[in-house]
Amino acid sequence: MVKRPNPLDRYALDIAPGTLTWIGVRPRRREPLQSLEATRAVASLGLEGDHRMGKTPGSGRQISLISEEFIQQAAHFLQRADIDPALLRRNLVVKGLNLNALRRQRFTIGTAVFEATQLCHPCARMEENLGKGGVVAMLGHGGLCAKIIESGDIAIGDTVSVLSPEAQ
C-alpha cells in the first residue's frame, strides 16, 4: 500500500515529544476500560487485552488516543474539575504534544511504531458517560485513531516521538 503524501510532513520534526500517561483496554465490547501500567502493541491488530484485537486486521482504528489537554478542554466545557480517562473510551492518553499535528504521521511509544489515521469523533456514549453535553464538549477534542505498524511494548511514562518523514 502506498502512503499518501502528508502536507504536514515538512513540520513533523517540529512536533515536540510528549509522554504516555494512561493506558486502557476493554476485554469485551461495552465493558469498562481497565487501566494498565504497560501492555504490548501488536502490529496490525491492537493492544493486548483489548477486544479490538479480534476485529478487522489492518484497520485504521486499532487504537485510539487522546491528550490530557483535550480532556481538560472537555472538562472545562462541562464545568467539571476533571474527567476519568476510562469514561472517554480511548486506549491511550498522552500529554505535552499537539495531538492533531500527529494526523497521518508515524510515531513511537516505547518500542512500538504507530501511524495516526483519522480523527476519533465523539459518539453518543459520551452523553451516557459524561452527561448532557458530553458529545458537544468533545467536538474537535476527541483525539485520533491509529494503527500499529511495528509491534512493541508500551508503558506509562514512555516518550511519544514523531518519526522523521525519511524514517517513515
Side-chain angles (χ1 to χ4, degrees):
M1 178 191 282
V2 176
K3 187 177 181 225
R4 292 184 301 177
N6 183 353
L8 292 178
D9 280 351
R10 62 186 168 159
Y11 303 113
L13 296 178
D14 295 336
I15 301 170
T19 306
L20 179 64
T21 62
W22 189 85
I23 302 169
V25 297
R26 184 180 302 103
R28 286 180 206 69
R29 187 177 177 272
R30 302 258 326 164
E31 283 191 5
L33 280 160
Q34 297 176 354
S35 179
L36 303 174
E37 293 292 316
T39 192
R40 182 150 182 84
V42 181
S44 298
L45 294 176
L47 299 179
E48 282 186 355
D50 194 73
H51 75 103
R52 292 201 64 87
M53 278 193 70
K55 306 230 175 185
T56 310
S59 162
R61 296 179 55 96
Q62 293 163 16
I63 63 132
S64 54
L65 58 157
I66 192 167
S67 68
E68 284 189 10
E69 293 82 2
F70 284 178
I71 295 171
Q72 291 168 0
Q73 191 71 25
H76 169 77
F77 290 139
L78 291 168
Q79 299 178 349
R80 296 170 70 155
D82 60 5
I83 296 174
D84 179 353
L87 295 175
L88 301 178
R89 306 182 65 241
R90 306 299 187 262
N91 299 111
L92 306 177
V93 177
V94 300
K95 72 174 181 180
L97 73 159
N98 182 344
L99 192 60
N100 284 334
L102 281 182
R103 190 157 179 226
R104 291 202 276 150
Q105 299 291 333
R106 288 194 177 179
F107 58 96
T108 61
I109 303 174
T111 59
V113 177
F114 301 83
E115 182 176 326
T117 55
Q118 61 200 33
L119 298 175
C120 190
H121 299 290
C123 67
R125 292 209 191 120
M126 292 305 100
E127 294 287 311
E128 294 173 29
N129 292 356
L130 302 176
K132 186 170 174 55
V135 169
V136 172
M138 290 191 64
L139 284 175
H141 307 288
L144 296 172
C145 297
K147 58 186 175 181
I148 302 165
I149 304 301
E150 293 180 24
S151 298
D153 296 319
I154 64 172
I156 293 174
D158 283 346
T159 298
V160 181
S161 297
V162 175
L163 292 173
S164 70
E166 297 79 33
Q168 298 187 32

